[in-house]
Amino acid sequence: MRLGIDLDGVVADFDNGWMSRYRTEFGADPRMSHAEPGAPEIVWNGLHHGTHFPDMDAFWEWVHRIRLFRHLDPIPGALEALTTIANDGHEIVILTAKPDRAVPDTLYWIADHQLPTREIHFIHDKHRVACDAYLDDSPFVVPELVAHRPEATVCRMVAPWNEPVEGAIDVTDWSEFLDVVRSKVL
Ligand SMILES: [Mg+2]
């Protein structure tokens, strides 16, 4: 099978990565509802609400200036699961919507962590890349994949910033995604 795999929030831990750098650099905890009761609700592309940044442009400017995409930790279990999936004979297709200026550091990151892939797409409309199964955490991408690839198995990596999507399978970690992949093969 061809498996279309997102990076941030799925393989790379952007969530903890940026918050940890923020604490180090600014000496303050970002105020995020999933880390602190009563803090601003975390919403897609609204991370600046828990910081001193006035808007998301300023937030992303900081992310690129510190080259955060090169220094993220992998999400627990991700690299091991990808290796298992690749060893089982499946193709890992990386589908990431990151902007142009994140491309070099993302390629460094993929190399640093030796992701078992021969195919990497930097693309917003991920459904344009045909795969048998997809794994993504974006509240915009998952519904698009379900709509445009009805024949495919679409999995939502459950996160505070997304919600269930009809037609998508929820997975909470990589062992659950492995179970889905194996259930499709048998
Ligand atoms: Mg993502």
Side-chain angles (χ1 to χ4, degrees), residues 7 27 49-51 53 55 92 108 111 118 129 139 142 156 174 176:
L7 284 183
H49 291 305
T51 73
F53 294 115
D55 52 35
I92 305 295
Y108 275 123
R118 302 179 65 89
V129 181
V142 172
R156 168 180 78 119
W174 275 89
E176 286 188 19

Side-chain angles (χ1 to χ4, degrees), residues 6-10 44 126 136-138 161:
D6 177 33
L7 284 183
D8 288 333
V10 170
W44 190 257
K126 297 185 180 183
D136 209 292
D137 69 320
S138 161
W161 46 87

